[in-house]
Amino acid sequence: MTIDVNIAATPADAPIDAKRRIWSIVAGSTGNLVEWYDFYAYSFTALYFASSFFPKGDRTAELLSTAAVFAVGFFMRPVGGWFFGRYADRHGRKAAMVLSVLLMCGGSLAIAVLPTYAMIGAAAPALLLVVRMIQGFSLGGEYGTSATYMSEVAASGRRGFFASFQYVTLIGGQLSAVLVVTVLQQVLTDDQLRSWGWRLPFLLGAVLAVVAMYLRRSLHETATERSAEAGTLKALARHPRAFFTVLGVTAGGSLIFYAFTTYMQKYLVNTSGMTAKTATGVMTGVLFVYMLMQPAFGWLSDKIGRRNCLIAFGVGTTLTTVPIFTALANVGTPLGAFLLILAALAIVSLYTSISGLFKAELFPMEVRALGVGLSYALGNAMFGGTAEYVALWFKQAGHEQWFYWYVTGMCALALAVTLSMRDLRKHGTLD
């Protein structure tokens, strides 16, 4: 299957100077920010639109339904990871990145105008599910291609620092979604937000996605070697160790990332007893500082190695997840919640700052986008995308603390996989 995307011509083998390298990182990461903003706008507005699509009268039940749709979107990611990874390896990173942001734009616009349950009945949540599947498909391709592109375009010796901007913009997408919701909370009443105000973040996301698409048209192409088997599952099958390494580390990394970011807003409301406005304020501050951490931890990985950073991540999260979640359940002030969540995410930064880079360093160019995208998407779908649903399911069953131990166990698995991984300073494929 071939999809032609009209993009500005940039010779793939043209030399890239420092100025163009920086521009490529900025343009590529801006599109990444917009895609993640569009995807996370759903999570951060769910408190307001849940009853419009799932009118059950019970807050936890409504949130459980929206979390299930959120999770289904994640299960489309492996399909998107396969399709866009193959496309990027065979036709170039730039074409794949333009197409993925175009699809996200369409999905965001569709949610902005979607009729509610009161208007069309059961068709409303069904349509919401379809749109989220399209967005999940798009985002499944976005991660692998952008991670691959930013790793390839970054200068050797500084890849950790430059590649960390993938998560700067990923977190920036979350932060932008939170900020938009915060502004709306200040200018609209609660009834207005629940009635129609929740649509505005999606409308804004659609507009921003069009801007990002045009920025990506000017990207420098990095995929200069395309063999006959580039981007095929047959070629990927030659690298099982790399594939399962990414899958194992992603299982723990994605799960704890979503537990302390997208799910945390609901946790602060549903378990800690905060108002939605207070929880949004706490998460806005947390995400801003967390975003600023990424380049520092990326720089650290350039000094001590990716494997050592991942080992520190595995040890730290295995030891601290249960105590931090337990303390948050009984936290007395917004400042206390802010400090606890930030402490958890500082440890998680050892993984997120180099998440795309260490994966790209495991695969050769001919199968890099497919290898990174598909293995990450599978791990993320099974564990990251289901984080909210599993957490809420345990809470509804009366065993909320079991979720803390579940996260801990998956982080311990990530640690075990990391310990078996080779030192990428000696065995990485980017050089």
Side-chain angles (χ1 to χ4, degrees):
M1 180 177 181
T2 301
I3 297 177
D4 293 323
V5 179
N6 183 24
I7 55 178
T10 303
D13 57 352
I16 179 169
D17 56 23
K19 183 178 179 180
R20 186 161 182 79
R21 190 188 306 276
I22 292 173
W23 167 250
S24 294
I25 290 173
V26 170
S29 59
T30 299
N32 191 51
L33 184 149
V34 172
E35 285 230 37
W36 288 96
Y37 164 85
D38 283 347
F39 198 77
Y40 284 122
Y42 177 95
S43 180
F44 290 125
T45 55
L47 288 168
Y48 296 104
F49 72 72
S51 60
S52 296
F53 292 92
F54 307 99
K56 296 182 179 179
D58 177 77
R59 169 173 280 190
T60 299
E62 291 171 0
L63 292 176
L64 195 60
S65 297
T66 56
V69 174
F70 187 78
V72 169
F74 271 76
F75 279 103
M76 285 299 294
R77 288 195 187 189
V79 181
W82 165 77
F83 175 84
F84 282 98
R86 182 178 185 275
Y87 190 80
D89 284 329
R90 297 182 69 86
H91 303 286
R93 320 304 190 208
K94 181 165 65 173
M97 292 168 72
V98 170
L99 179 59
S100 69
V101 79
L102 181 62
L103 282 177
M104 185 61 75
C105 171
S108 190
L109 182 60
I111 294 179
V113 299
L114 206 61
T116 64
Y117 189 93
M119 296 176 182
I120 60 172
L127 287 173
L128 180 63
L129 178 64
V130 171
V131 174
R132 289 299 291 176
M133 290 175 69
I134 293 172
Q135 287 192 311
F137 175 79
S138 169
L139 208 58
E142 170 64 24
Y143 181 91
T145 52
S146 66
T148 298
Y149 180 80
M150 294 181 72
S151 298
E152 290 173 344
V153 81
S156 180
R158 302 185 66 192
R159 287 199 179 102
F161 174 77
F162 282 114
S164 71
F165 282 89
Q166 185 194 22
Y167 254 83
V168 169
T169 51
L170 188 155
I171 300 163
Q174 286 197 37
L175 179 60
S176 298
V178 172
L179 286 173
V180 169
V181 172
T182 300
V183 171
L184 291 176
Q185 287 172 337
Q186 302 304 315
V187 300
L188 299 177
T189 66
D190 192 70
D191 287 341
Q192 288 174 325
L193 280 169
R194 294 180 185 279
S195 176
W196 55 268
W198 61 266
R199 298 180 184 273
L200 298 179
F202 296 103
L203 185 61
L204 175 62
V207 174
L208 293 175
V210 174
V211 176
M213 181 183 68
Y214 280 98
L215 285 174
R216 285 187 164 181
R217 287 161 56 93
S218 66
L219 291 177
H220 172 86
E221 181 58 74
T222 59
T224 59
E225 301 172 13
R226 303 173 194 169
S227 66
E229 291 189 350
T232 64
L233 293 176
K234 181 179 179 180
L236 180 60
R238 301 192 188 103
H239 308 280
R241 181 174 180 175
F243 184 88
F244 287 107
T245 295
V246 173
L247 190 63
V249 177
T250 299
S254 288
L255 174 59
I256 196 166
F257 170 75
Y258 285 104
F260 280 108
T261 54
T262 55
Y263 173 62
M264 187 49 58
Q265 184 193 30
K266 299 176 182 64
Y267 184 83
L268 293 176
V269 173
N270 227 17
T271 298
S272 304
M274 294 183 183
T275 65
K277 187 175 293 187
T278 300
T280 299
V282 169
M283 290 310 299
T284 299
V286 166
L287 288 174
F288 180 73
V289 179
Y290 179 42
M291 178 179 67
L292 297 180
M293 289 180 180
Q294 302 311 297
F297 281 95
W299 172 86
L300 178 65
S301 78
D302 286 329
K303 303 301 179 183
I304 69 172
R306 325 293 181 222
R307 183 174 180 271
N308 289 332
C309 283
L310 292 174
I311 290 173
F313 157 76
V315 171
T317 52
T318 300
L319 295 177
T320 64
T321 297
V322 172
I324 290 177
F325 262 113
T326 302
L328 281 168
N330 304 290
V331 71
T333 65
L335 177 60
F338 172 86
L339 294 174
L340 284 168
I341 300 168
L342 193 59
L345 289 177
I347 300 172
V348 176
S349 292
L350 290 160
Y351 162 77
T352 55
S353 63
I354 57 171
S355 173
L357 176 58
F358 89 85
K359 294 162 188 170
E361 290 179 322
L362 289 169
F363 295 95
M365 177 174 281
E366 68 171 8
V367 76
R368 187 172 291 140
L370 176 61
V372 173
L374 183 58
S375 55
Y376 168 81
L378 285 170
N380 205 31
M382 290 186 289
F383 301 98
T386 58
E388 286 192 22
Y389 187 87
V390 172
L392 289 166
W393 185 84
F394 277 131
K395 180 176 179 60
Q396 193 174 56
H399 301 290
E400 188 169 28
Q401 291 185 346
W402 289 6
F403 178 69
Y404 315 161
W405 288 104
Y406 165 63
V407 176
T408 298
M410 296 312 300
C411 288
L413 172 64
L415 173 61
V417 172
T418 301
L419 290 172
S420 68
M421 188 172 72
R422 294 180 295 184
D423 189 341
L424 295 174
R425 288 175 291 185
K426 299 178 181 178
H427 303 284
T429 62
L430 287 172
D431 291 323

